[in-house]
Amino acid sequence: MLIRLTEVKQIYGKYTLKEVMINPKHVVCIRHAEEYQQMLQEGKMPEGLDTRQSFTRLYLDRGQQGIDVVVVGNTEIIAEKLSHGKKVLFG
């Protein structure tokens, strides 16, 4: 089952929002993306985002090399979406 999220992409020096479909089975790590919150505060992100918005970096397994994707949303909410409502332990 794929999960629909909103990805932050940098294209030609500008940040845009794009829909992305993620397979939760390929996510190996999630982390808070603090630098994106800073860019939002500086006005570098697309208009319309609440200044309280947070961002999460997903690390995806692609065999011998991985890929990381930054999505809109705090770490706990993204983890819950990826786990299909199952309890995720933090600690």
Side-chain angles (χ1 to χ4, degrees):
M1 173 184 215
L2 297 176
I3 306 297
R4 184 185 319 257
L5 298 172
T6 302
E7 179 182 13
V8 180
K9 298 274 299 178
Q10 184 178 14
I11 301 173
Y12 302 115
K14 290 190 174 190
Y15 290 91
T16 62
L17 302 177
K18 301 282 185 184
E19 183 180 279
V20 64
M21 302 295 282
I22 301 288
N23 183 340
K25 294 179 182 179
H26 294 280
V27 176
V28 294
C29 179
I30 63 174
R31 289 194 174 136
H32 181 67
E34 294 176 24
E35 66 276 15
Y36 281 76
Q37 278 185 287
Q38 180 65 34
M39 289 186 279
L40 178 61
Q41 297 299 322
E42 295 171 359
K44 296 179 181 176
M45 292 298 212
E47 289 186 29
L49 283 176
D50 189 309
T51 56
R52 298 170 291 177
Q53 186 63 60
S54 58
F55 302 89
T56 299
R57 185 178 303 276
L58 304 176
Y59 296 89
L60 306 172
D61 181 17
R62 280 186 51 189
Q64 290 186 327
Q65 77 184 88
I67 186 172
D68 63 311
V69 175
V70 176
V71 296
V72 177
N74 75 38
T75 307
E76 290 82 14
I77 291 173
I78 299 299
E80 185 177 320
K81 285 184 177 185
L82 293 172
S83 66
H84 306 291
K86 298 176 187 167
K87 185 72 174 169
V88 176
L89 299 177
F90 289 94

